[in-house]
Amino acid sequence: MQQQVEQAIWLAHTEQDTVALAQKLAAWVKPGDLMALDGDLGAGKTRFSQAFAGAIGVKGIVNSPTFTIIKEYEGEGLPFYHMDVYRLSSEEADELGLDDYFYGDGVTIVEWASLIKELLPTERLELNIEHLGGDLRRIGITGIGERYAAWCKALNEIGAE
Ligand SMILES: Nc1ncnc2c1ncn2[C@@H]1O[C@H](COP(=O)(O)OP(=O)(O)O)[C@@H](O)[C@H]1O
Ligand SMILES: [Mg+2]
């Protein structure tokens, strides 16, 4: 089936601009939503995830789940599943039962998502964070599927810069 695809670009001149994007998306999410993050080490994937968690009401500290692969948090009315799949082997992926998260009651953010592309639901919001020097980040956003495509359209209408 042909998926609808839309793109947007969010230029973050400061960390606060990255936080603002996460807050905007947090206002739109519902259970079963997926954000697939990519970008080099230090790009801001975890920072974005922390801002998202804060925005949906997760209390306490959200750290990088590099060694645990998945951490579960409780937001206000919505669980948050934070994954870092950098070290995930295919055997582990089977054991973890990723689909239970992707199609579960919460919202999932995956760091290094492109490493497990074939395990991700087709419909997702992809965010590719590029470090352009200093605090400047170029966040390339691709919405795959009608729902996420609409988010990109909305971001473009806001004039995402
Ligand atoms: N515009 C920005 N967006 C996100 N993080 C930023 C920005 N500017 C500076 N930073 C800093 O860059 C670092 C990003 O680290 P982190 O989120 O752990 O990266 P990653 O998870 O991609 O490896 C943090 O120390 C954060 O404070
Ligand atoms: Mg990280």
Side-chain angles (χ1 to χ4, degrees), residues 107-121:
V107 174
T108 305
I109 292 183
V110 183
E111 297 193 31
W112 299 102
S114 62
L115 294 177
I116 59 158
K117 219 167 199 152
E118 66 285 356
L119 301 178
L120 298 176

Side-chain angles (χ1 to χ4, degrees), residues 57-74:
V58 171
K59 304 275 181 258
I61 297 164
V62 172
N63 290 319
S64 173
T66 308
F67 295 98
T68 47
I69 313 286
I70 301 178
K71 282 190 190 167
E72 300 181 34
Y73 300 90
E74 205 44 58

